[in-house]
């Protein structure tokens, strides 16, 4: 093809048709430019398709991770709520005079309220890998990238709140680590000892005197306050953020 064009140029020059030669030269340049643009367009289109395939792999992986994290958070909210609702039931009996709750009922409330530690452990392996490798830039949706980046910093705040909640829980449990009160009684009467295959205690030490303890009351109140704040000021906003991320991921996947 190029040999054919060169022959035409030589013929035009030989015939001294300068005007026609110039027009032809310009036309040839335009054809070359068009060819380059077409090649670039094809290359860009292929690159775009390759990027979209890579992005979709990330989007699907992130969607699975955040769906699992949502299930974990929903369960954690339920456990935390059960904890502080049980503690609130204890407060009802702290206000009663005389005490109208049995040792068994009190043991079951104590176990329900303070046995479970609270810690959100989301599935972030793919997200962390993307952030560390710089692959987060492969997510084309800018708003979604911001949500994903903010997710990590939000989890750090959640962790601090959970540590504070754990400290308040320990304040209550510490009251059972001396000779004045009995964890064994709680285990025996709430069924934990049987579940763990532990022998029952020979003597049942009563914990009901705690219902007259101002220290116990203060510790339970601080636990309730912190547990409630963990739900309303941290877990619920986190759930909203998680849902926004899932909506963004599903929106990008629906574009295909």
């Amino acid at each position: 093809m190029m040999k054919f064009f060169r022959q035409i140029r030589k013929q035009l020059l030989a015939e001294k048709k300068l005007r026609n030669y110039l027009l032809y030269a310009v036309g040839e340049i335009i054809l070359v430019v068009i060819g380059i643009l077409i090649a670039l367009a094809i290359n860009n289109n292929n690159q775009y398709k390759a990027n979209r395939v890579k992005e979709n792999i990330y989007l699907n992986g992130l969607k699975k991770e955040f769906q699992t994290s949502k299930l974990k958070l929903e369960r954690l909210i339920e456990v935390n709520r059960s904890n502080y609702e049980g503690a609130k039931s204890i407060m009802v009996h702290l206000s009663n005079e005389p005490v109208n709750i049995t040792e068994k009922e009190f043991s079951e409330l104590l176990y329900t309220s303070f046995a479970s530690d609270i810690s959100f452990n989301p599935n972030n392996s793919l997200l962390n890998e993307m952030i560390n490798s710089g692959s987060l830039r492969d997510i084309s949706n800018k708003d979604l990238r911001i949500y994903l980046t903010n997710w990590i910093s939000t989890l750090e705040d959640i962790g601090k709140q959970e540590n504070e909640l754990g400290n308040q829980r320990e304040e209550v449990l510490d009251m059972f680590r001396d000779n004045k009160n009995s964890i064994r009684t709680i285990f025996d009467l709430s069924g934990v000892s049987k579940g763990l295959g532990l022998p029952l205690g020979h003597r049942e030490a009563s914990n009901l005197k705690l219902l007259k303890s101002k220290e116990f009351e203060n510790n339970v109140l601080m636990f309730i306050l912190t547990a409630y704040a963990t739900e309303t000021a941290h877990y619920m906003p986190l759930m909203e953020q998680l849902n926004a991320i899932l909506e963004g991921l599903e929106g990008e996947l629906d574009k295909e």
Side-chain angles (χ1 to χ4, degrees):
M1 181 65 71
M2 296 303 296
K3 184 177 180 181
F4 173 73
F5 287 145
R6 283 196 295 270
Q7 288 177 347
I8 295 177
R9 287 201 303 272
K10 288 179 180 179
Q11 182 179 349
L12 290 172
L13 287 172
E15 296 175 0
K16 297 182 179 179
K17 296 181 179 180
L18 181 59
R19 182 173 179 275
N20 289 340
Y21 171 78
L22 292 174
L23 290 174
Y24 171 81
V26 171
E28 186 176 341
I29 292 171
I30 292 174
L31 286 175
V32 171
V33 171
I34 291 174
I36 293 173
L37 292 175
I38 291 174
L40 287 173
I42 293 173
N43 182 67
N44 289 340
N45 185 56
N46 290 337
Q47 186 62 47
Y48 172 77
K49 289 181 179 179
N51 289 342
R52 283 299 295 173
V53 170
K54 183 179 180 182
E55 182 180 7
N56 278 350
I57 292 174
Y58 284 140
L59 291 171
N60 278 297
L62 289 171
K63 180 181 177 180
K64 291 178 182 178
E65 279 196 349
F66 277 94
Q67 285 175 332
T68 301
S69 295
K70 181 176 180 178
L71 293 175
K72 287 184 176 182
L73 183 56
E74 287 174 342
R75 176 56 183 157
L76 194 62
I77 290 173
E78 291 176 1
V79 172
N80 183 58
R81 186 174 299 166
S82 175
N83 287 354
Y84 74 71
E85 288 295 343
K88 285 166 64 177
S89 296
I90 292 174
M91 289 303 303
V92 171
H93 297 289
L94 277 161
S95 303
N96 286 339
E97 186 64 40
V99 174
N100 61 353
I101 184 174
T102 67
E103 194 75 52
K104 184 176 187 302
E105 291 171 336
F106 188 41
S107 294
E108 290 172 344
L109 278 178
L110 287 169
Y111 183 76
T112 299
S113 305
F114 304 108
S116 300
D117 196 10
I118 297 296
S119 180
F120 182 45
N121 183 29
N123 286 30
N124 282 337
S125 56
L126 177 58
L127 178 58
N128 287 330
E129 178 186 331
M130 291 176 65
I131 292 174
N132 294 333
S133 65
S135 298
L136 195 59
R137 64 176 177 269
D138 292 323
I139 303 298
S140 57
N141 187 311
K142 180 181 177 182
D143 292 336
L144 181 55
R145 288 202 308 271
I146 293 173
Y147 273 130
L148 292 170
T149 302
N150 290 342
W151 173 257
I152 299 299
S153 59
T154 302
L155 291 180
E156 294 176 359
D157 293 335
I158 295 294
K160 294 176 182 177
Q161 178 65 19
E162 288 174 339
N163 286 337
E164 178 58 27
L165 178 57
N167 291 336
Q168 297 303 328
R169 173 174 171 268
E170 286 299 319
E171 290 289 335
V172 177
L173 295 179
D174 283 345
M175 299 190 70
F176 295 89
R177 302 185 194 279
D178 55 27
N179 292 325
K180 297 178 182 178
N181 303 296
S182 174
I183 292 179
R184 185 60 174 269
T185 298
I186 298 174
F187 276 28
D188 288 352
L189 297 183
S190 65
V192 175
S193 294
K194 182 178 180 180
L196 295 176
L198 297 174
L200 297 179
H202 298 298
R203 291 178 301 173
E204 181 183 295
S206 176
N207 291 315
L208 291 176
K209 55 185 175 294
L210 284 171
L211 295 174
K212 299 181 182 298
S213 166
K214 182 58 68 175
E215 180 185 4
F216 179 71
E217 180 181 31
N218 290 339
N219 287 335
V220 172
L221 282 171
M222 288 301 299
F223 174 80
I224 293 171
L225 177 64
T226 309
Y228 184 74
T230 299
E231 176 183 337
T232 57
H234 295 273
Y235 284 161
M236 299 312 293
L238 185 67
M239 181 63 79
E240 292 178 4
Q241 187 176 354
L242 197 158
N243 284 331
I245 290 174
L246 280 173
E247 288 177 8
L249 291 169
E250 290 166 356
E252 288 301 301
L253 287 168
D254 288 342
K255 290 181 180 180
E256 291 301 311

